[in-house]
Amino acid sequence: IELENLVRQVLPPGAYRFQAQLSNGKRADCLLDLPLPPGPIAIDAKFPLEGYYAIRAATDDASRQIAARGFRQSVLIHIKDIAGRYILPGETAESALMFLPSEAVYAELHAGFPEVLEESYRARVFIVSPTTLWATLNTVRAILKDVRMREQAGLIQKEVRALLEDVSRLDGRAANLERHFDQAREDLRQQPHHKIAPTI
């Protein structure tokens, strides 16, 4: 719900699809429809929060270490799953986004699990929080606006070319008409002048 709200707030309709099915049969929670390159970017919002809650609930170092191991493992598996499901050469972008619905979980990952982040970079699965996703979506909106402007520029150039061709054709027709007028004037000039006798 948070992902959908963020996407709808920032992007125009038609720039994204929810529960979009890919050619491999997998469904992305959200697909940002960017032209190739980079191509559509999948966002996955099914983050395993149980491990994070276990860390928060741990009461001593031993249970905290066990919870941290479980959290690390579940996030690494999720990164691998996202890369395998949503990064498809020639169909999607070379990267995907893992959406964390909480700034606190994002901060925990950055503070305590740098090796998980490194693995995500290698897999080209970029982890985003609500704040960083909002910034990412604004960048996507700017890219889409630029693409539309370039498309519009292309249409304008096409219309101008067509207009110039029309003007050129009209110019040619006017020149032909002018030649006909000149010829008609010349024909009239060369005609012998007959005096008409007055009628009584």
Side-chain angles (χ1 to χ4, degrees):
I1 291 168
E2 189 170 2
L3 171 64
E4 289 190 12
N5 287 342
L6 268 170
V7 171
R8 286 197 170 103
Q9 278 173 29
V10 179
L11 295 182
Y16 55 85
R17 284 176 284 151
F18 295 116
Q19 298 304 313
Q21 187 162 344
L22 303 175
S23 64
N24 61 2
K26 304 297 181 187
R27 283 188 185 276
D29 293 322
C30 181
L31 196 66
L32 305 178
D33 280 319
L34 282 164
L36 286 163
I41 299 172
I43 307 175
D44 184 275
K46 298 178 289 291
F47 187 77
L49 284 169
E50 296 81 9
Y52 173 73
Y53 293 142
I55 291 171
R56 303 317 298 165
T59 53
D60 56 53
D61 286 345
S63 59
R64 197 171 290 111
Q65 283 179 0
I66 292 166
R69 258 199 312 275
F71 178 68
R72 180 185 295 108
Q73 194 58 31
S74 66
V75 176
L76 288 172
I77 289 168
H78 198 49
I79 288 167
K80 189 178 175 185
D81 286 348
I82 291 172
R85 289 175 184 168
Y86 307 130
I87 300 177
L88 306 177
E91 183 177 348
T92 67
E94 294 177 350
S95 57
L97 302 179
M98 179 197 291
F99 177 64
L100 303 186
S102 161
E103 298 294 342
V105 180
Y106 184 76
E108 182 76 39
L109 258 178
H110 276 264
F113 301 89
E115 71 287 356
V116 171
L117 294 173
E118 285 168 20
E119 185 54 39
S120 77
Y121 298 146
R122 276 194 292 275
R124 302 195 64 78
V125 174
F126 299 106
I127 301 171
V128 290
S129 69
T131 303
T132 53
L133 178 63
W134 184 85
T136 303
L137 293 173
N138 275 285
T139 302
V140 167
R141 185 175 65 181
I143 290 168
L144 290 170
K145 187 178 178 185
D146 184 53
V147 166
R148 277 198 302 276
M149 283 173 67
R150 274 189 272 129
E151 283 172 355
Q152 292 292 85
L155 285 171
I156 291 165
Q157 286 170 352
K158 186 179 172 186
E159 292 297 324
V160 168
R161 276 197 297 272
L163 179 64
L164 289 173
E165 285 169 11
D166 286 345
V167 168
S168 176
R169 278 195 292 272
L170 187 61
D171 197 39
R173 287 176 190 147
N176 285 339
L177 195 59
E178 186 63 34
R179 277 197 294 277
H180 287 307
F181 281 138
D182 286 346
Q183 188 62 50
R185 278 196 291 270
E186 184 61 24
D187 289 347
L188 284 171
R189 195 180 61 75
Q190 290 181 7
Q191 293 284 330
H193 296 287
H194 299 290
K195 289 187 178 177
I196 300 169
T199 54
I200 300 173

